[in-house]
Structures are given as structure tokens and as C-alpha cells.
Amino acid sequence: MTGRAGEAFETGRAVSDVEALLVAPVPTAGPTAGGTDVEGDPATGEWTATSGAGFRIVPLWESEDLVGVYGPEWNEAEEAAEEQLARLVAELDRRWGAHRRVSMRVPLFRKQAGAPMPALFQALCDADCYGDLTVWGPLSAVPRWIAVSVNQSDGDAPMIMTAVVSDRPIAELDDQPST
């Protein structure tokens, strides 16, 4: 699924990846109006990044496939992924101060209804990244917002931890899209 398949989770590496994302340039425009650019590993084609106007999304870690994993073993895999995210969040809180949560509930419902949403949330939904976002920002002299999350796209898929950088605020969406 991602270019991070098979890598062990290491908090220090994840922090370094997030910090690198914070200072790297973000696109000023998408390839098409409101569009995104999905990048893949040249050898495997696995997802390595999604970029759009003002943001970039990257995978930080991917668990083993959960095909045939049920009950307590599945719960343990989910708990392990959440614990890894908690370690990353604790370290980023230590560096940047308290985070805030941004729910992905509204983007999920908008995606199901075919309703419009900001490009960042559309890109997260298109990549099946429905985990609630843990957000910091604005950070740095050039205002940037960082978010991390972990989720699973379906019952057999691996858990995927992602990071987002945006040059615009990452805020909770209203239940009703503006017209």
C-alpha cells in the first residue's frame, strides 16, 4: 500500500520525517484546479506522497497486512498502532506544545455524499486516510500546520500512520458545506 511497508516503527525516525516535512516546500497549486498529485515508489508503485495546493501528505509507517487477523490479535494490532501514534504525539507535544484534534467524521460523510470539501480533506479521503488528525500550528516563521494520524482503510488492510503539512490552517469542517 505505501512505500513504508515492512519498515519497523521508530519514533525518532518519524519525528525526523515530520520535521523534514515541516521545512520542505509545499506546492502553491495542484496539477489541476483543486487536484492532487499522487506519487509512488518507482520500483513498486506503492504510495509515497500526495501533494496539492498548499499541502503534502506522506506515509510515516505501515503495519503488516491484517488479512486473516481477527478478535484479540486484531485489537492488539490496532492498540499497537495507536500506542506508536501516542509516542509520536507526545514527542511532538514536547517540541511544539499541546496539539488539538480535528475529526475526519465530516469529511467522511461529505465523501460518501459527494459533497464538496477543501482539497486537503478531499486528498485525505481519496487516500483512505480517515483517522482523526492530531494538529499543531501555526509553526515556524513561515506559518505551517502539521498533522499526524493513524487509520486502516478496511478490516484486512494494514494500519497506516500519515503526516500532513499545510500552509493553511487545518480546522474542523462544518457539518454543512458552505455554498
Side-chain angles (χ1 to χ4, degrees), residues 8-24:
F9 180 79
E10 296 176 12
T11 304
R13 181 194 47 82
V15 168
S16 292
D17 290 349
V18 170
E19 288 180 331
L21 192 61
L22 178 63
V23 297

Side-chain angles (χ1 to χ4, degrees), residues 27 38 44 53 62 65 72 78 82 107 113 122 128 131 134 139 157-158 176:
V38 178
T44 65
E62 178 180 332
D65 280 337
E78 182 180 40
E82 291 290 343
Q122 184 67 54
D128 292 330
T134 303
L139 303 170
Q176 298 298 318

Side-chain angles (χ1 to χ4, degrees), residues 1-176:
M1 289 199 57
T2 76
R4 289 297 172 81
E7 292 181 10
F9 180 79
E10 296 176 12
T11 304
R13 181 194 47 82
V15 168
S16 292
D17 290 349
V18 170
E19 288 180 331
L21 192 61
L22 178 63
V23 297
V26 295
T28 57
T32 61
T36 58
D37 182 21
V38 178
E39 301 168 30
D41 181 282
T44 65
E46 299 290 353
W47 176 58
T48 58
T50 299
S51 300
F55 68 88
R56 188 161 172 81
I57 306 165
V58 299
L60 295 175
W61 168 80
E62 178 180 332
S63 76
E64 299 294 322
D65 280 337
L66 298 174
V67 175
V69 177
Y70 303 102
E73 290 177 346
W74 190 92
N75 291 339
E76 289 171 12
E78 182 180 40
E79 288 170 9
E82 291 290 343
E83 287 172 10
Q84 291 167 343
L85 179 64
R87 288 196 309 270
L88 175 59
V89 167
E91 180 57 28
L92 295 176
D93 277 348
R94 188 183 71 71
R95 292 166 187 249
W96 298 330
H99 65 273
R100 61 186 170 76
R101 292 291 237 183
V102 172
S103 173
M104 285 296 290
R105 179 186 60 82
V106 171
L108 172 61
F109 289 137
R110 284 195 191 177
K111 170 94 173 175
Q112 292 170 341
M117 67 183 109
L120 171 60
F121 288 99
Q122 184 67 54
L124 286 165
C125 289
D126 290 347
D128 292 330
C129 295
Y130 295 110
D132 288 344
L133 301 172
T134 303
V135 179
W136 294 266
L139 303 170
S140 72
V142 177
R144 295 283 173 92
W145 286 259
I146 288 283
V148 295
S149 70
V150 69
N151 78 293
Q152 179 187 38
S153 61
D154 69 40
D156 290 336
M159 301 285 181
I160 298 175
M161 188 180 302
T162 55
V164 174
V165 63
S166 176
D167 66 2
R168 296 155 200 174
I170 301 173
E172 193 91 22
L173 295 184
D174 292 331
D175 285 337
Q176 298 298 318

